[in-house]
Amino acid sequence: MDFEELLDVLTSRLTNGTFIGGTISQSRTKTDDLKRVKVKAVEIKEQLHIQFEYQYERILNHENVTPEELRSHLQQLLERFRQLHIEFTDEKIQVQLTKKFKVMWKSEKVTSEKVVDLSHNRKKNYLLDEHTPYPFLVRLGVQTPDGKVKKQKHDKFRQINRFVEFIDDSLAHLPKDRTIRILDFGSGKSYLTFALYHYLRIEKGLDIKVTGLDLKKEVIEECRTIAKDLGYNDLEFLVGDINDYNEETSVDMVVTLHACDVATDMALARAVKWGAKVILSVPCCQHELFSQIQSPALDIMLQHGLIKERFSALATDSIRAELLSLVGYEAQLLEFIDMEHTPKNVLIRAYHTGRKASASEHKRYNEFRNLLHVKPFLEKELGDLLSK
C-alpha cells in the first residue's frame, strides 16, 4: 500500500459507519507546535462529520469536516505526522509512515465488537441531560417544569453544559479534605454560578462554599431569592466590585465571566495571589492593548480598525495565558461556545502547578510584549511574582 492508497482507504473506512476514533501523532519536525490530533465521528444536524481535535501545548482547537473534505485534511496531517492509531467496530489499526512515506500497516481484530452510536455520543457530551428537569434551570427560565429546554434557550443550555464540562475537568485539581472555596466575579444573572453549585454540590456531593459577586444590586437580590428557595445554603451573592472584595486570604477556584477590560486582569491577579488551584475566565471588551499597540511590522493588519480590534483581543488573551504560565500555572485558551452564537468564545483555563518558568520562557514573553510596545495591566499586577 502506498501513501495515496492509504488516504483512499482511510477516507472510505472513516465514513462507512464503523469508525470509533483515532489519534494522529509523532510529528516529523521538532519545531511543530501541534502535538497530536484526536479524530472521531460526530453527527451534526443529522449529517456525518469527522471531528479533528488539534492539541497544542496550551490550546485545544476543534474542526468538523464533511466526508467530502476528509481526504485533503488527512493528507495535510499525515504529511506532518508519522503515526496513526485508529479503532473501528471490529478492528484496531496502527499505521507508521517512514521519512519517504512508506506505509507500515498493522491490524488487530477486536474480539467484542463495538457499536457506533453517533446520537448517543452526542448526548453523553451533555453532563446535564437535556430531558431531565433541574430546579435551578427551571427557575432561571431555561427549562419548562417537565424538563424541556425552551426553544429560545437552547444556546444558553449548550453554554451551561460546556461550562460544566470545564468544571468537571477541574475536579482533580481541587482539594478533597476540606471545604472548597469558590469565588465568581461578575456573576451577573448567575446561570453558570448556579450550574457550578448544582454540579459540584448536588451531582458530585462535594463540600463547597460559593460566592457570586456583582455590582447590580437588583440582580444580586433576585439571585439570593432563587438560592434561598432552592435550598442552596452554601451559595451566597454579594453586591460589590472586584477591587473592594478583601474577605479572603485563600481561594481554591476563581471564576470570572465577561468582566470588562482590565477587570478580568484584576480578577486573575487576585486569583494568583490567593493561590487559586483553578482559574476559569471568559474575558470581555479588551480595550487596553488596542490603544497601546505600535508595531510597524504589523501595520498591514493594524491599519484596519476591525482587524486591529480582533488582534488586540487575541493578543490580550495570549498575554494573559502566558503571564499565568510564568507564575506557576498550566494555562490554556479554549473554545467556550461556538462563534456563531457570540464572539466572546475564548475561555482561559489555568491550573496551579507551581512550576518555575525558565529564563527562555520569560525572554519569549518579553520579546512578544516588546514587539507590540505594550504595557499589560496584568504584568504590572503580577510584578512581584514575575521577578522571583
Side-chain angles (χ1 to χ4, degrees), residues 181-190 193-194 209-225 227 232-248 251 270 274:
R181 188 72 178 100
I182 302 172
L183 291 180
D184 182 354
F185 287 120
S187 55
K189 294 182 180 180
S190 301
T193 319
F194 280 107
K209 173 70 175 179
V210 183
T211 298
L213 188 74
D214 200 273
L215 287 170
K216 300 183 181 69
K217 184 178 180 181
E218 65 278 6
V219 173
I220 288 296
E221 289 177 349
E222 175 64 17
C223 291
R224 284 173 176 168
T225 300
Y232 288 2
N233 299 324
D234 292 306
L235 172 59
E236 65 175 359
F237 292 94
L238 303 176
V239 177
D241 183 86
I242 292 172
N243 281 328
D244 300 329
Y245 191 79
N246 298 300
E247 307 300 319
E248 308 292 335
V251 174
R270 283 293 187 89
W274 280 325

Side-chain angles (χ1 to χ4, degrees), residues 54 73 95 114 127 208-209 267 279 288 349:
Y54 303 101
H73 277 72
V95 176
K114 293 187 177 182
L127 293 176
I208 61 174
K209 173 70 175 179
I279 301 172
E288 184 197 16
R349 179 176 69 186

Side-chain angles (χ1 to χ4, degrees), residues 68-101:
E68 293 75 22
E69 302 167 323
L70 179 59
R71 192 181 192 279
S72 63
H73 277 72
L74 287 173
Q75 179 174 346
Q76 292 173 27
L77 288 170
L78 293 179
E79 287 174 351
R80 292 173 66 179
F81 292 90
R82 294 179 296 174
Q83 184 169 273
L84 173 63
H85 289 275
I86 308 178
E87 184 177 4
F88 298 98
T89 54
D90 59 348
E91 185 180 18
K92 290 182 180 179
I93 292 172
Q94 178 179 336
V95 176
Q96 198 78 29
L97 296 169
T98 67
K99 289 183 179 180
K100 295 184 178 180
F101 294 95

Side-chain angles (χ1 to χ4, degrees), residues 163 166-168 170-171 174-175 180-184 196 200 209 250-255 271 274-280 351:
F163 181 68
F166 290 124
I167 296 298
D168 186 70
S170 302
L171 291 178
L174 297 172
I180 300 169
R181 188 72 178 100
I182 302 172
L183 291 180
D184 182 354
L196 180 154
L200 293 181
K209 173 70 175 179
S250 178
V251 174
D252 299 302
M253 176 188 287
V254 171
V255 177
W274 280 325
K277 302 300 182 185
V278 176
I279 301 172
L280 298 175
Y351 299 139

